[in-house]
Amino acid sequence: MPAYSMPLTPGADRRARRCVVCQQALAGGATLFAAADDAYPTCHAVACRMVVSRRADMGEANFRHYLQMQARHRLQLAAATAASVARERAEAEENANGWAALRARVAGDLTPAPLELLLPSGPQRSRPLSATRRERYRAHLLGIIAEASVIDRAAPGDSAAGPDAADVDADAGSTLAGRLCGWCGGGCCTYGGDQAYLSAATMRRFMDAQPQLSAAEVAAAYLDRLAGSTQAKSCINHTARGCSLPREMRSTICNRFSCVSLARLQAAQRGARAQPAQQMDQAGQADQMDQVEQAHPVEQAVPMVHVILVVRRKQDHWRRAEPDRDNAVNAYAVLRETGVQRISLRAASPSAAAAAASATD
């Protein structure tokens, strides 16, 4: 990272004409928020101007020290942003190469076109459930059950399934959504901790469905469903086989959450059943339709998704963008209604993709 050095005397950086905060080069004709002979010229950014505006309230020595700290922070932030962008581009290129290799593997099964999805990874290891974790979970349960006891009834939108529950499997006859989540392995569950996303609203809903149970029995019902082993660094109910709670006992968050890839699959499956037909003009905007057509859109068939090409990376849903974590590809797979075909990393390399593509030409 380039070191930041302050001009030691007023006007020392006039020839460089750089913002003294972010070090952005200032073009000769640029409007500066400083006089032409000012030792502290700034760019247009409000944040940079605010830093320099503190000069009037601080002694020169204090201001110079403050400016050095702010400038150093901006350089660090800019470097981190550049590294993040570079990492995103590298991952995107690697993802594209992986999908190309997978397409070559299923070249005879490309009608309709496969859906290309990126997945995070849930924890790969299980650990025995400790007494400490169990006790923290029990304390949380007792607290939210006490809160639920003073709530008259569950909120209308906090049903066990919820109005969007059908979206978990947008096509009721499809196994793809379940296979997709299973191949991820709970990458969205890892922030559940010892509270499992459970709230007083969840308890109220369960208590309404089981009015014969006392508060102690409600807590026991949840504690009895704990497994002997849970996935490392994840929700206390996250096991190697999935969630230990039945859907009606889970939080609304757990029942309704969809990552980007699952949402894309759901949207594709909904669109495959029926999709309004709209005429598109050259600008890509839908032409205006009269009131009758708006009230009765024409439905047309869209090919059903039946093959998914998956690139999976090491980190979970929440940590995948953290710069200090290894987020390399750890699996490739082809998902079909009939099962999952895992493709070796070597077989999905760019060289293998090129060889497979040339073989089919």
Side-chain angles (χ1 to χ4, degrees):
M1 179 183 302
Y4 176 80
S5 59
M6 282 285 298
L8 298 180
T9 58
D13 70 339
R14 275 181 287 174
R15 287 179 298 176
R17 303 309 289 169
R18 291 182 177 275
C19 174
V20 292
V21 182
C22 69
Q23 293 295 290
Q24 176 182 333
L26 302 174
T31 301
L32 304 180
F33 291 88
D37 60 349
D38 197 331
Y40 304 108
T42 62
C43 64
H44 292 75
V46 174
C48 295
R49 291 158 54 195
M50 289 182 66
V51 169
V52 174
S53 72
R54 297 289 304 276
R55 181 186 181 191
D57 301 325
M58 308 171 73
E60 188 69 13
N62 288 336
F63 172 72
R64 289 166 67 82
H65 176 69
Y66 167 73
L67 179 56
Q68 281 186 322
M69 292 180 59
Q70 292 296 316
R72 186 178 299 112
H73 173 71
R74 299 299 168 83
L75 286 176
Q76 292 171 344
L77 183 61
T81 300
S84 177
V85 170
R87 172 173 166 164
E88 289 177 4
R89 289 175 177 170
E91 287 188 1
E93 182 178 358
E94 190 176 21
N95 295 340
N97 289 336
W99 285 319
L102 293 174
R103 283 197 302 273
R105 301 276 298 196
V106 297
D109 194 12
L110 295 179
T111 305
L115 195 60
E116 299 173 352
L117 299 179
L118 177 67
L119 288 181
S121 290
Q124 303 297 307
R125 294 180 298 171
S126 295
R127 290 180 179 174
L129 178 61
S130 68
T132 300
R133 289 198 70 186
R134 183 184 177 90
E135 180 55 29
R136 285 199 295 259
Y137 183 55
R138 187 185 74 86
H140 176 64
L141 287 171
L142 294 178
I144 58 177
I145 291 171
E147 291 181 42
S149 298
V150 299
I151 301 175
D152 289 338
R153 56 183 302 176
D158 191 44
S159 61
D164 301 323
D167 288 346
V168 175
D169 194 351
D171 181 349
S174 174
T175 63
L176 288 177
R179 295 189 190 282
L180 188 71
C181 290
W183 192 243
C184 166
C188 61
C189 303
T190 50
Y191 269 16
D194 298 333
Q195 299 187 356
Y197 301 108
L198 298 173
S199 66
T202 312
M203 295 300 105
R204 183 67 266 172
R205 181 231 300 157
F206 180 70
M207 292 161 70
D208 288 346
Q210 303 289 338
Q212 75 281 5
L213 298 181
S214 66
E217 289 171 330
V218 171
Y222 277 86
L223 291 169
D224 288 347
R225 284 168 173 78
L226 288 174
S229 294
T230 61
Q231 296 305 95
K233 299 181 180 179
S234 190
C235 176
I236 193 169
N237 290 309
H238 186 185
T239 75
R241 297 178 60 84
C243 184
S244 63
L245 291 177
R247 191 168 290 277
E248 62 271 15
M249 296 179 71
R250 299 177 197 172
S251 72
T252 301
I253 292 175
C254 295
N255 283 331
R256 294 186 182 179
F257 177 79
S258 294
C259 68
V260 172
S261 292
L262 179 57
R264 284 188 58 198
L265 172 60
Q266 292 166 351
Q269 291 185 323
R270 285 193 301 269
R273 293 201 301 271
Q275 175 174 301
Q278 293 182 325
Q279 299 295 323
M280 304 299 288
D281 61 20
Q282 292 183 351
Q285 301 296 323
D287 289 336
Q288 295 295 321
M289 300 178 357
D290 60 35
Q291 293 182 355
V292 175
E293 289 175 319
Q294 290 178 2
H296 305 283
V298 178
E299 291 189 349
Q300 64 180 13
V302 178
M304 172 60 71
V305 175
H306 63 86
V307 177
I308 303 176
L309 308 181
V310 173
V311 174
R312 191 182 71 189
R313 290 187 171 273
K314 286 184 177 182
Q315 294 303 320
D316 64 28
H317 178 81
W318 313 108
R319 299 179 178 90
R320 55 188 172 172
E322 294 181 9
D324 57 341
R325 293 183 182 272
D326 177 13
N327 196 33
V329 172
N330 64 1
Y332 297 100
V334 178
L335 277 58
R336 297 183 175 87
E337 297 287 358
T338 55
V340 177
Q341 178 187 8
R342 181 165 187 157
I343 308 299
S344 71
L345 298 181
R346 179 177 299 178
S349 65
S351 58
S358 61
T360 59
D361 290 341

